Amino acid sequence: QKEVEQNSGPLSVPEGAIASLNCTYSDRGSQSFFWYRQYSGKSPELIMSIYSNGDKEDGRFTAQLNKASQYVSLLIRDSQPSDSATYLCAVTAEGTYKYIFGTGTRLKVLA
Amino acid sequence: DADVTQTPRNRITKTGKRIMLECSQTKGHDRMYWYRQDPGLGLRLIYYSFDVKDINKGEISDGYSVSRQAQAKFSLSLESAIPNQTALYFCATSYRGDTQYFGPGTRLTVL
């Protein structure tokens, strides 16, 4: 069973701090990695995609991928109360189109 | 206008009724997906379609059927709804196996 693991949280950080969200995956052949943000009752919204080892930055968000250790992380700098949401990690299984989603980490940014 | 739309947005029905959820997209994507989301269980794939003539079962297809009427339309049917099909349902699209974009969701309650 190919899995994607995330700590369910909640992860609480003060406003202005860095939030660090982590995700591990079991399929070594995974090739594409995605972070989605989901507000309660709403649909997942793409935050970042990353395909190769290293860091990828987009505004306040940085995705980090380490295929050898099979983890992907998302850093949110200068966290804002509006960042409070559930963050879903998704990984595509080797040789397929299919996403495998983690169950998400709930982030709370405290004003 | 939204790129991926779902109708209805909310539906309450009774056990044994037939229900159809519809998804339309204007993104020009070839691939379409149906997921359900339950608290604590994350997103689970019900069916997916690579094109009009290619439909495949996901991990939880029992009790569901689909129809890909056109490249832009993908419908999910519950032939005889049961209470444990109460969930949030999302349609998603992608171009080949790349990033998936989600519709706004349908909240279905089966009494």
Side-chain angles (χ1 to χ4, degrees), chain B residues 1-38:
Chain B
D1 288 341
D3 294 321
V4 185
T5 57
Q6 292 183 235
T7 56
R9 295 294 311 280
N10 288 282
R11 181 73 184 267
I12 300 173
T13 191
K14 295 182 178 180
T15 297
K17 294 292 188 181
R18 184 177 188 273
I19 297 297
M20 179 180 286
L21 308 183
E22 299 185 331
C23 177
S24 294
Q25 53 114 349
T26 59
K27 298 182 79 67
H29 288 169
D30 54 340
R31 299 185 179 187
M32 299 186 74
Y33 311 81
W34 275 105
Y35 292 91
R36 67 176 279 176
Q37 188 173 40
D38 301 272

PDB file of all heavy atoms in Angstrom, chain B residues 1-38:
ATOM      1  N   ASP B   1     -15.504  33.349 -14.682  1.00  0.00           N
ATOM      2  CA  ASP B   1     -16.182  32.065 -14.510  1.00  0.00           C
ATOM      3  C   ASP B   1     -15.197  31.003 -14.058  1.00  0.00           C
ATOM      4  O   ASP B   1     -14.042  31.015 -14.462  1.00  0.00           O
ATOM      5  CB  ASP B   1     -16.820  31.603 -15.818  1.00  0.00           C
ATOM      6  CG  ASP B   1     -18.035  32.425 -16.176  1.00  0.00           C
ATOM      7  OD1 ASP B   1     -18.569  33.071 -15.275  1.00  0.00           O
ATOM      8  OD2 ASP B   1     -18.425  32.425 -17.351  1.00  0.00           O
ATOM      9  N   ALA B   2     -15.670  30.110 -13.188  1.00  0.00           N
ATOM     10  CA  ALA B   2     -14.823  29.047 -12.686  1.00  0.00           C
ATOM     11  C   ALA B   2     -14.461  28.095 -13.811  1.00  0.00           C
ATOM     12  O   ALA B   2     -15.254  27.830 -14.705  1.00  0.00           O
ATOM     13  CB  ALA B   2     -15.538  28.316 -11.568  1.00  0.00           C
ATOM     14  N   ASP B   3     -13.224  27.553 -13.734  1.00  0.00           N
ATOM     15  CA  ASP B   3     -12.759  26.629 -14.761  1.00  0.00           C
ATOM     16  C   ASP B   3     -13.372  25.244 -14.596  1.00  0.00           C
ATOM     17  O   ASP B   3     -13.561  24.519 -15.563  1.00  0.00           O
ATOM     18  CB  ASP B   3     -11.240  26.514 -14.687  1.00  0.00           C
ATOM     19  CG  ASP B   3     -10.558  27.821 -15.042  1.00  0.00           C
ATOM     20  OD1 ASP B   3     -11.035  28.502 -15.956  1.00  0.00           O
ATOM     21  OD2 ASP B   3      -9.552  28.151 -14.395  1.00  0.00           O
ATOM     22  N   VAL B   4     -13.625  24.850 -13.338  1.00  0.00           N
ATOM     23  CA  VAL B   4     -14.212  23.548 -13.051  1.00  0.00           C
ATOM     24  C   VAL B   4     -15.455  23.790 -12.207  1.00  0.00           C
ATOM     25  O   VAL B   4     -15.358  24.397 -11.135  1.00  0.00           O
ATOM     26  CB  VAL B   4     -13.232  22.634 -12.284  1.00  0.00           C
ATOM     27  CG1 VAL B   4     -13.842  21.240 -12.099  1.00  0.00           C
ATOM     28  CG2 VAL B   4     -11.897  22.542 -13.019  1.00  0.00           C
ATOM     29  N   THR B   5     -16.588  23.373 -12.696  1.00  0.00           N
ATOM     30  CA  THR B   5     -17.838  23.592 -11.976  1.00  0.00           C
ATOM     31  C   THR B   5     -18.480  22.254 -11.630  1.00  0.00           C
ATOM     32  O   THR B   5     -18.321  21.265 -12.364  1.00  0.00           O
ATOM     33  CB  THR B   5     -18.825  24.434 -12.792  1.00  0.00           C
ATOM     34  OG1 THR B   5     -19.067  23.779 -14.051  1.00  0.00           O
ATOM     35  CG2 THR B   5     -18.254  25.819 -13.071  1.00  0.00           C
ATOM     36  N   GLN B   6     -19.204  22.264 -10.506  1.00  0.00           N
ATOM     37  CA  GLN B   6     -19.913  21.066 -10.067  1.00  0.00           C
ATOM     38  C   GLN B   6     -21.338  21.441  -9.715  1.00  0.00           C
ATOM     39  O   GLN B   6     -21.579  22.490  -9.115  1.00  0.00           O
ATOM     40  CB  GLN B   6     -19.232  20.461  -8.825  1.00  0.00           C
ATOM     41  CG  GLN B   6     -17.864  19.878  -9.096  1.00  0.00           C
ATOM     42  CD  GLN B   6     -17.263  19.230  -7.864  1.00  0.00           C
ATOM     43  OE1 GLN B   6     -16.158  19.565  -7.446  1.00  0.00           O
ATOM     44  NE2 GLN B   6     -17.987  18.294  -7.266  1.00  0.00           N
ATOM     45  N   THR B   7     -22.262  20.573 -10.084  1.00  0.00           N
ATOM     46  CA  THR B   7     -23.663  20.755  -9.700  1.00  0.00           C
ATOM     47  C   THR B   7     -24.234  19.424  -9.240  1.00  0.00           C
ATOM     48  O   THR B   7     -23.884  18.367  -9.801  1.00  0.00           O
ATOM     49  CB  THR B   7     -24.501  21.286 -10.886  1.00  0.00           C
ATOM     50  OG1 THR B   7     -24.362  20.398 -11.998  1.00  0.00           O
ATOM     51  CG2 THR B   7     -24.068  22.688 -11.281  1.00  0.00           C
ATOM     52  N   PRO B   8     -25.116  19.438  -8.226  1.00  0.00           N
ATOM     53  CA  PRO B   8     -25.426  20.573  -7.374  1.00  0.00           C
ATOM     54  C   PRO B   8     -24.301  20.834  -6.379  1.00  0.00           C
ATOM     55  O   PRO B   8     -23.353  20.066  -6.306  1.00  0.00           O
ATOM     56  CB  PRO B   8     -26.684  20.093  -6.641  1.00  0.00           C
ATOM     57  CG  PRO B   8     -26.482  18.617  -6.520  1.00  0.00           C
ATOM     58  CD  PRO B   8     -25.792  18.190  -7.785  1.00  0.00           C
ATOM     59  N   ARG B   9     -24.368  21.915  -5.656  1.00  0.00           N
ATOM     60  CA  ARG B   9     -23.359  22.203  -4.628  1.00  0.00           C
ATOM     61  C   ARG B   9     -23.728  21.526  -3.311  1.00  0.00           C
ATOM     62  O   ARG B   9     -22.839  21.141  -2.541  1.00  0.00           O
ATOM     63  CB  ARG B   9     -23.228  23.702  -4.419  1.00  0.00           C
ATOM     64  CG  ARG B   9     -22.693  24.435  -5.642  1.00  0.00           C
ATOM     65  CD  ARG B   9     -21.238  24.056  -5.964  1.00  0.00           C
ATOM     66  NE  ARG B   9     -20.416  24.139  -4.782  1.00  0.00           N
ATOM     67  CZ  ARG B   9     -19.917  25.268  -4.285  1.00  0.00           C
ATOM     68  NH1 ARG B   9     -20.146  26.411  -4.920  1.00  0.00           N
ATOM     69  NH2 ARG B   9     -19.177  25.243  -3.200  1.00  0.00           N
ATOM     70  N   ASN B  10     -24.978  21.372  -3.079  1.00  0.00           N
ATOM     71  CA  ASN B  10     -25.465  20.676  -1.880  1.00  0.00           C
ATOM     72  C   ASN B  10     -26.654  19.816  -2.280  1.00  0.00           C
ATOM     73  O   ASN B  10     -27.476  20.225  -3.096  1.00  0.00           O
ATOM     74  CB  ASN B  10     -25.922  21.677  -0.809  1.00  0.00           C
ATOM     75  CG  ASN B  10     -24.756  22.391  -0.170  1.00  0.00           C
ATOM     76  OD1 ASN B  10     -24.085  21.844   0.678  1.00  0.00           O
ATOM     77  ND2 ASN B  10     -24.522  23.615  -0.581  1.00  0.00           N
ATOM     78  N   ARG B  11     -26.723  18.628  -1.668  1.00  0.00           N
ATOM     79  CA  ARG B  11     -27.860  17.755  -1.966  1.00  0.00           C
ATOM     80  C   ARG B  11     -28.154  16.900  -0.758  1.00  0.00           C
ATOM     81  O   ARG B  11     -27.241  16.310  -0.167  1.00  0.00           O
ATOM     82  CB  ARG B  11     -27.543  16.876  -3.168  1.00  0.00           C
ATOM     83  CG  ARG B  11     -28.668  15.950  -3.587  1.00  0.00           C
ATOM     84  CD  ARG B  11     -29.802  16.710  -4.250  1.00  0.00           C
ATOM     85  NE  ARG B  11     -30.920  15.840  -4.566  1.00  0.00           N
ATOM     86  CZ  ARG B  11     -31.087  15.237  -5.734  1.00  0.00           C
ATOM     87  NH1 ARG B  11     -30.197  15.404  -6.702  1.00  0.00           N
ATOM     88  NH2 ARG B  11     -32.131  14.477  -5.935  1.00  0.00           N
ATOM     89  N   ILE B  12     -29.421  16.862  -0.382  1.00  0.00           N
ATOM     90  CA  ILE B  12     -29.878  15.967   0.669  1.00  0.00           C
ATOM     91  C   ILE B  12     -30.847  14.975   0.017  1.00  0.00           C
ATOM     92  O   ILE B  12     -31.770  15.392  -0.688  1.00  0.00           O
ATOM     93  CB  ILE B  12     -30.568  16.733   1.802  1.00  0.00           C
ATOM     94  CG1 ILE B  12     -29.596  17.734   2.436  1.00  0.00           C
ATOM     95  CG2 ILE B  12     -31.102  15.771   2.865  1.00  0.00           C
ATOM     96  CD1 ILE B  12     -30.232  18.658   3.465  1.00  0.00           C
ATOM     97  N   THR B  13     -30.623  13.707   0.232  1.00  0.00           N
ATOM     98  CA  THR B  13     -31.472  12.709  -0.392  1.00  0.00           C
ATOM     99  C   THR B  13     -31.739  11.573   0.593  1.00  0.00           C
ATOM    100  O   THR B  13     -31.208  11.556   1.703  1.00  0.00           O
ATOM    101  CB  THR B  13     -30.817  12.164  -1.671  1.00  0.00           C
ATOM    102  OG1 THR B  13     -31.768  11.380  -2.399  1.00  0.00           O
ATOM    103  CG2 THR B  13     -29.604  11.300  -1.350  1.00  0.00           C
ATOM    104  N   LYS B  14     -32.558  10.639   0.183  1.00  0.00           N
ATOM    105  CA  LYS B  14     -32.913   9.529   1.055  1.00  0.00           C
ATOM    106  C   LYS B  14     -32.274   8.231   0.587  1.00  0.00           C
ATOM    107  O   LYS B  14     -31.964   8.070  -0.601  1.00  0.00           O
ATOM    108  CB  LYS B  14     -34.426   9.378   1.104  1.00  0.00           C
ATOM    109  CG  LYS B  14     -35.134  10.559   1.742  1.00  0.00           C
ATOM    110  CD  LYS B  14     -36.633  10.336   1.810  1.00  0.00           C
ATOM    111  CE  LYS B  14     -37.318  11.515   2.486  1.00  0.00           C
ATOM    112  NZ  LYS B  14     -38.798  11.324   2.559  1.00  0.00           N
ATOM    113  N   THR B  15     -32.126   7.322   1.500  1.00  0.00           N
ATOM    114  CA  THR B  15     -31.578   6.005   1.183  1.00  0.00           C
ATOM    115  C   THR B  15     -32.362   5.363   0.047  1.00  0.00           C
ATOM    116  O   THR B  15     -33.593   5.390   0.033  1.00  0.00           O
ATOM    117  CB  THR B  15     -31.623   5.110   2.431  1.00  0.00           C
ATOM    118  OG1 THR B  15     -30.794   5.688   3.443  1.00  0.00           O
ATOM    119  CG2 THR B  15     -31.129   3.716   2.123  1.00  0.00           C
ATOM    120  N   GLY B  16     -31.621   4.801  -0.909  1.00  0.00           N
ATOM    121  CA  GLY B  16     -32.229   4.110  -2.027  1.00  0.00           C
ATOM    122  C   GLY B  16     -32.458   4.955  -3.261  1.00  0.00           C
ATOM    123  O   GLY B  16     -32.732   4.410  -4.338  1.00  0.00           O
ATOM    124  N   LYS B  17     -32.339   6.262  -3.149  1.00  0.00           N
ATOM    125  CA  LYS B  17     -32.547   7.142  -4.294  1.00  0.00           C
ATOM    126  C   LYS B  17     -31.333   7.136  -5.210  1.00  0.00           C
ATOM    127  O   LYS B  17     -30.201   6.918  -4.780  1.00  0.00           O
ATOM    128  CB  LYS B  17     -32.807   8.574  -3.830  1.00  0.00           C
ATOM    129  CG  LYS B  17     -34.099   8.741  -3.058  1.00  0.00           C
ATOM    130  CD  LYS B  17     -35.289   8.542  -3.954  1.00  0.00           C
ATOM    131  CE  LYS B  17     -36.582   8.899  -3.223  1.00  0.00           C
ATOM    132  NZ  LYS B  17     -37.773   8.688  -4.077  1.00  0.00           N
ATOM    133  N   ARG B  18     -31.577   7.395  -6.501  1.00  0.00           N
ATOM    134  CA  ARG B  18     -30.497   7.537  -7.470  1.00  0.00           C
ATOM    135  C   ARG B  18     -30.112   9.011  -7.550  1.00  0.00           C
ATOM    136  O   ARG B  18     -30.976   9.880  -7.663  1.00  0.00           O
ATOM    137  CB  ARG B  18     -30.919   7.040  -8.844  1.00  0.00           C
ATOM    138  CG  ARG B  18     -29.795   7.066  -9.878  1.00  0.00           C
ATOM    139  CD  ARG B  18     -30.248   6.495 -11.213  1.00  0.00           C
ATOM    140  NE  ARG B  18     -29.149   6.353 -12.130  1.00  0.00           N
ATOM    141  CZ  ARG B  18     -28.713   7.316 -12.947  1.00  0.00           C
ATOM    142  NH1 ARG B  18     -29.311   8.505 -12.934  1.00  0.00           N
ATOM    143  NH2 ARG B  18     -27.700   7.102 -13.759  1.00  0.00           N
ATOM    144  N   ILE B  19     -28.820   9.250  -7.497  1.00  0.00           N
ATOM    145  CA  ILE B  19     -28.311  10.620  -7.487  1.00  0.00           C
ATOM    146  C   ILE B  19     -27.242  10.770  -8.567  1.00  0.00           C
ATOM    147  O   ILE B  19     -26.448   9.858  -8.780  1.00  0.00           O
ATOM    148  CB  ILE B  19     -27.666  10.943  -6.120  1.00  0.00           C
ATOM    149  CG1 ILE B  19     -28.710  10.871  -5.017  1.00  0.00           C
ATOM    150  CG2 ILE B  19     -27.030  12.324  -6.128  1.00  0.00           C
ATOM    151  CD1 ILE B  19     -29.813  11.894  -5.175  1.00  0.00           C
ATOM    152  N   MET B  20     -27.246  11.908  -9.232  1.00  0.00           N
ATOM    153  CA  MET B  20     -26.193  12.196 -10.198  1.00  0.00           C
ATOM    154  C   MET B  20     -25.519  13.515  -9.841  1.00  0.00           C
ATOM    155  O   MET B  20     -26.197  14.525  -9.634  1.00  0.00           O
ATOM    156  CB  MET B  20     -26.731  12.269 -11.617  1.00  0.00           C
ATOM    157  CG  MET B  20     -25.651  12.595 -12.655  1.00  0.00           C
ATOM    158  SD  MET B  20     -26.251  12.680 -14.347  1.00  0.00           S
ATOM    159  CE  MET B  20     -26.502  10.950 -14.684  1.00  0.00           C
ATOM    160  N   LEU B  21     -24.212  13.488  -9.798  1.00  0.00           N
ATOM    161  CA  LEU B  21     -23.411  14.693  -9.587  1.00  0.00           C
ATOM    162  C   LEU B  21     -22.697  14.988 -10.903  1.00  0.00           C
ATOM    163  O   LEU B  21     -22.147  14.079 -11.529  1.00  0.00           O
ATOM    164  CB  LEU B  21     -22.383  14.468  -8.476  1.00  0.00           C
ATOM    165  CG  LEU B  21     -22.902  13.918  -7.148  1.00  0.00           C
ATOM    166  CD1 LEU B  21     -21.762  13.833  -6.139  1.00  0.00           C
ATOM    167  CD2 LEU B  21     -24.042  14.741  -6.608  1.00  0.00           C
ATOM    168  N   GLU B  22     -22.708  16.264 -11.277  1.00  0.00           N
ATOM    169  CA  GLU B  22     -22.140  16.624 -12.574  1.00  0.00           C
ATOM    170  C   GLU B  22     -20.932  17.531 -12.430  1.00  0.00           C
ATOM    171  O   GLU B  22     -20.860  18.345 -11.515  1.00  0.00           O
ATOM    172  CB  GLU B  22     -23.217  17.281 -13.444  1.00  0.00           C
ATOM    173  CG  GLU B  22     -24.388  16.353 -13.714  1.00  0.00           C
ATOM    174  CD  GLU B  22     -25.401  16.930 -14.662  1.00  0.00           C
ATOM    175  OE1 GLU B  22     -25.546  18.151 -14.703  1.00  0.00           O
ATOM    176  OE2 GLU B  22     -26.048  16.130 -15.374  1.00  0.00           O
ATOM    177  N   CYS B  23     -20.019  17.366 -13.358  1.00  0.00           N
ATOM    178  CA  CYS B  23     -18.795  18.161 -13.387  1.00  0.00           C
ATOM    179  C   CYS B  23     -18.547  18.629 -14.811  1.00  0.00           C
ATOM    180  O   CYS B  23     -18.613  17.822 -15.755  1.00  0.00           O
ATOM    181  CB  CYS B  23     -17.623  17.324 -12.894  1.00  0.00           C
ATOM    182  SG  CYS B  23     -16.032  18.177 -12.957  1.00  0.00           S
ATOM    183  N   SER B  24     -18.250  19.913 -14.949  1.00  0.00           N
ATOM    184  CA  SER B  24     -17.897  20.475 -16.258  1.00  0.00           C
ATOM    185  C   SER B  24     -16.621  21.293 -16.119  1.00  0.00           C
ATOM    186  O   SER B  24     -16.384  21.903 -15.078  1.00  0.00           O
ATOM    187  CB  SER B  24     -19.010  21.380 -16.778  1.00  0.00           C
ATOM    188  OG  SER B  24     -20.173  20.658 -17.042  1.00  0.00           O
ATOM    189  N   GLN B  25     -15.832  21.312 -17.183  1.00  0.00           N
ATOM    190  CA  GLN B  25     -14.586  22.087 -17.142  1.00  0.00           C
ATOM    191  C   GLN B  25     -14.354  22.814 -18.464  1.00  0.00           C
ATOM    192  O   GLN B  25     -14.720  22.320 -19.529  1.00  0.00           O
ATOM    193  CB  GLN B  25     -13.405  21.166 -16.816  1.00  0.00           C
ATOM    194  CG  GLN B  25     -13.266  19.956 -17.716  1.00  0.00           C
ATOM    195  CD  GLN B  25     -12.035  19.950 -18.585  1.00  0.00           C
ATOM    196  OE1 GLN B  25     -11.325  20.945 -18.711  1.00  0.00           O
ATOM    197  NE2 GLN B  25     -11.754  18.809 -19.198  1.00  0.00           N
ATOM    198  N   THR B  26     -13.761  23.979 -18.327  1.00  0.00           N
ATOM    199  CA  THR B  26     -13.418  24.790 -19.503  1.00  0.00           C
ATOM    200  C   THR B  26     -11.908  24.917 -19.664  1.00  0.00           C
ATOM    201  O   THR B  26     -11.416  25.768 -20.401  1.00  0.00           O
ATOM    202  CB  THR B  26     -14.047  26.194 -19.390  1.00  0.00           C
ATOM    203  OG1 THR B  26     -13.562  26.822 -18.193  1.00  0.00           O
ATOM    204  CG2 THR B  26     -15.557  26.119 -19.352  1.00  0.00           C
ATOM    205  N   LYS B  27     -11.168  24.079 -18.944  1.00  0.00           N
ATOM    206  CA  LYS B  27      -9.708  24.167 -18.974  1.00  0.00           C
ATOM    207  C   LYS B  27      -9.115  23.449 -20.184  1.00  0.00           C
ATOM    208  O   LYS B  27      -7.922  23.560 -20.444  1.00  0.00           O
ATOM    209  CB  LYS B  27      -9.115  23.590 -17.680  1.00  0.00           C
ATOM    210  CG  LYS B  27      -9.564  24.365 -16.438  1.00  0.00           C
ATOM    211  CD  LYS B  27      -8.938  23.827 -15.170  1.00  0.00           C
ATOM    212  CE  LYS B  27      -7.510  24.298 -14.997  1.00  0.00           C
ATOM    213  NZ  LYS B  27      -7.398  25.740 -14.751  1.00  0.00           N
ATOM    214  N   GLY B  28      -9.926  22.660 -20.883  1.00  0.00           N
ATOM    215  CA  GLY B  28      -9.401  21.913 -22.018  1.00  0.00           C
ATOM    216  C   GLY B  28      -8.560  20.714 -21.613  1.00  0.00           C
ATOM    217  O   GLY B  28      -7.825  20.160 -22.427  1.00  0.00           O
ATOM    218  N   HIS B  29      -8.673  20.299 -20.353  1.00  0.00           N
ATOM    219  CA  HIS B  29      -7.895  19.164 -19.875  1.00  0.00           C
ATOM    220  C   HIS B  29      -8.485  17.852 -20.370  1.00  0.00           C
ATOM    221  O   HIS B  29      -9.697  17.727 -20.572  1.00  0.00           O
ATOM    222  CB  HIS B  29      -7.847  19.165 -18.348  1.00  0.00           C
ATOM    223  CG  HIS B  29      -6.980  20.236 -17.785  1.00  0.00           C
ATOM    224  ND1 HIS B  29      -6.969  20.557 -16.440  1.00  0.00           N
ATOM    225  CD2 HIS B  29      -6.079  21.061 -18.367  1.00  0.00           C
ATOM    226  CE1 HIS B  29      -6.091  21.526 -16.244  1.00  0.00           C
ATOM    227  NE2 HIS B  29      -5.552  21.853 -17.400  1.00  0.00           N
ATOM    228  N   ASP B  30      -7.599  16.865 -20.537  1.00  0.00           N
ATOM    229  CA  ASP B  30      -8.059  15.574 -21.022  1.00  0.00           C
ATOM    230  C   ASP B  30      -8.509  14.653 -19.892  1.00  0.00           C
ATOM    231  O   ASP B  30      -9.381  13.809 -20.080  1.00  0.00           O
ATOM    232  CB  ASP B  30      -6.964  14.904 -21.865  1.00  0.00           C
ATOM    233  CG  ASP B  30      -5.632  14.793 -21.132  1.00  0.00           C
ATOM    234  OD1 ASP B  30      -5.405  15.531 -20.149  1.00  0.00           O
ATOM    235  OD2 ASP B  30      -4.791  13.976 -21.564  1.00  0.00           O
ATOM    236  N   ARG B  31      -7.927  14.805 -18.720  1.00  0.00           N
ATOM    237  CA  ARG B  31      -8.185  13.865 -17.639  1.00  0.00           C
ATOM    238  C   ARG B  31      -9.117  14.464 -16.604  1.00  0.00           C
ATOM    239  O   ARG B  31      -9.003  15.634 -16.245  1.00  0.00           O
ATOM    240  CB  ARG B  31      -6.870  13.435 -16.987  1.00  0.00           C
ATOM    241  CG  ARG B  31      -5.972  12.749 -17.994  1.00  0.00           C
ATOM    242  CD  ARG B  31      -4.712  12.204 -17.378  1.00  0.00           C
ATOM    243  NE  ARG B  31      -3.906  11.530 -18.411  1.00  0.00           N
ATOM    244  CZ  ARG B  31      -2.808  10.841 -18.170  1.00  0.00           C
ATOM    245  NH1 ARG B  31      -2.374  10.706 -16.938  1.00  0.00           N
ATOM    246  NH2 ARG B  31      -2.149  10.260 -19.162  1.00  0.00           N
ATOM    247  N   MET B  32     -10.028  13.622 -16.124  1.00  0.00           N
ATOM    248  CA  MET B  32     -10.973  14.052 -15.099  1.00  0.00           C
ATOM    249  C   MET B  32     -11.085  12.976 -14.038  1.00  0.00           C
ATOM    250  O   MET B  32     -10.915  11.779 -14.320  1.00  0.00           O
ATOM    251  CB  MET B  32     -12.340  14.372 -15.711  1.00  0.00           C
ATOM    252  CG  MET B  32     -12.281  15.505 -16.738  1.00  0.00           C
ATOM    253  SD  MET B  32     -13.872  16.041 -17.366  1.00  0.00           S
ATOM    254  CE  MET B  32     -14.523  16.952 -15.959  1.00  0.00           C
ATOM    255  N   TYR B  33     -11.381  13.409 -12.814  1.00  0.00           N
ATOM    256  CA  TYR B  33     -11.351  12.533 -11.656  1.00  0.00           C
ATOM    257  C   TYR B  33     -12.546  12.845 -10.754  1.00  0.00           C
ATOM    258  O   TYR B  33     -12.990  13.990 -10.676  1.00  0.00           O
ATOM    259  CB  TYR B  33     -10.074  12.769 -10.836  1.00  0.00           C
ATOM    260  CG  TYR B  33      -8.790  12.783 -11.636  1.00  0.00           C
ATOM    261  CD1 TYR B  33      -8.398  13.927 -12.324  1.00  0.00           C
ATOM    262  CD2 TYR B  33      -7.959  11.672 -11.687  1.00  0.00           C
ATOM    263  CE1 TYR B  33      -7.214  13.953 -13.052  1.00  0.00           C
ATOM    264  CE2 TYR B  33      -6.773  11.692 -12.409  1.00  0.00           C
ATOM    265  CZ  TYR B  33      -6.413  12.837 -13.089  1.00  0.00           C
ATOM    266  OH  TYR B  33      -5.236  12.859 -13.813  1.00  0.00           O
ATOM    267  N   TRP B  34     -12.980  11.836 -10.012  1.00  0.00           N
ATOM    268  CA  TRP B  34     -13.942  12.029  -8.930  1.00  0.00           C
ATOM    269  C   TRP B  34     -13.341  11.501  -7.638  1.00  0.00           C
ATOM    270  O   TRP B  34     -12.841  10.360  -7.582  1.00  0.00           O
ATOM    271  CB  TRP B  34     -15.255  11.295  -9.197  1.00  0.00           C
ATOM    272  CG  TRP B  34     -16.205  12.064 -10.041  1.00  0.00           C
ATOM    273  CD1 TRP B  34     -16.508  11.848 -11.351  1.00  0.00           C
ATOM    274  CD2 TRP B  34     -17.009  13.178  -9.638  1.00  0.00           C
ATOM    275  NE1 TRP B  34     -17.437  12.757 -11.788  1.00  0.00           N
ATOM    276  CE2 TRP B  34     -17.754  13.582 -10.747  1.00  0.00           C
ATOM    277  CE3 TRP B  34     -17.163  13.865  -8.423  1.00  0.00           C
ATOM    278  CZ2 TRP B  34     -18.654  14.648 -10.694  1.00  0.00           C
ATOM    279  CZ3 TRP B  34     -18.047  14.923  -8.379  1.00  0.00           C
ATOM    280  CH2 TRP B  34     -18.790  15.301  -9.503  1.00  0.00           C
ATOM    281  N   TYR B  35     -13.399  12.363  -6.597  1.00  0.00           N
ATOM    282  CA  TYR B  35     -12.921  12.005  -5.267  1.00  0.00           C
ATOM    283  C   TYR B  35     -14.062  12.196  -4.268  1.00  0.00           C
ATOM    284  O   TYR B  35     -14.954  13.003  -4.463  1.00  0.00           O
ATOM    285  CB  TYR B  35     -11.790  12.939  -4.815  1.00  0.00           C
ATOM    286  CG  TYR B  35     -10.492  12.826  -5.556  1.00  0.00           C
ATOM    287  CD1 TYR B  35     -10.233  13.617  -6.676  1.00  0.00           C
ATOM    288  CD2 TYR B  35      -9.490  11.974  -5.113  1.00  0.00           C
ATOM    289  CE1 TYR B  35      -9.019  13.535  -7.340  1.00  0.00           C
ATOM    290  CE2 TYR B  35      -8.267  11.889  -5.765  1.00  0.00           C
ATOM    291  CZ  TYR B  35      -8.041  12.681  -6.892  1.00  0.00           C
ATOM    292  OH  TYR B  35      -6.841  12.605  -7.538  1.00  0.00           O
ATOM    293  N   ARG B  36     -13.941  11.469  -3.159  1.00  0.00           N
ATOM    294  CA  ARG B  36     -14.759  11.822  -2.010  1.00  0.00           C
ATOM    295  C   ARG B  36     -13.827  12.113  -0.839  1.00  0.00           C
ATOM    296  O   ARG B  36     -12.713  11.570  -0.740  1.00  0.00           O
ATOM    297  CB  ARG B  36     -15.763  10.725  -1.650  1.00  0.00           C
ATOM    298  CG  ARG B  36     -15.191   9.442  -1.142  1.00  0.00           C
ATOM    299  CD  ARG B  36     -16.288   8.464  -0.737  1.00  0.00           C
ATOM    300  NE  ARG B  36     -16.811   8.745   0.588  1.00  0.00           N
ATOM    301  CZ  ARG B  36     -17.822   8.081   1.153  1.00  0.00           C
ATOM    302  NH1 ARG B  36     -18.433   7.114   0.500  1.00  0.00           N
ATOM    303  NH2 ARG B  36     -18.224   8.390   2.371  1.00  0.00           N
ATOM    304  N   GLN B  37     -14.312  12.987   0.040  1.00  0.00           N
ATOM    305  CA  GLN B  37     -13.519  13.361   1.208  1.00  0.00           C
ATOM    306  C   GLN B  37     -14.369  13.170   2.451  1.00  0.00           C
ATOM    307  O   GLN B  37     -15.484  13.690   2.545  1.00  0.00           O
ATOM    308  CB  GLN B  37     -13.037  14.807   1.109  1.00  0.00           C
ATOM    309  CG  GLN B  37     -12.058  15.200   2.205  1.00  0.00           C
ATOM    310  CD  GLN B  37     -11.479  16.571   1.994  1.00  0.00           C
ATOM    311  OE1 GLN B  37     -12.167  17.504   1.590  1.00  0.00           O
ATOM    312  NE2 GLN B  37     -10.171  16.725   2.252  1.00  0.00           N
ATOM    313  N   ASP B  38     -13.825  12.435   3.381  1.00  0.00           N
ATOM    314  CA  ASP B  38     -14.460  12.193   4.672  1.00  0.00           C
ATOM    315  C   ASP B  38     -13.506  12.674   5.755  1.00  0.00           C
ATOM    316  O   ASP B  38     -12.290  12.546   5.613  1.00  0.00           O
ATOM    317  CB  ASP B  38     -14.734  10.705   4.868  1.00  0.00           C
ATOM    318  CG  ASP B  38     -15.639  10.136   3.800  1.00  0.00           C
ATOM    319  OD1 ASP B  38     -16.850  10.205   3.994  1.00  0.00           O
ATOM    320  OD2 ASP B  38     -15.142   9.638   2.765  1.00  0.00           O
TER     321      ASP B  38
END
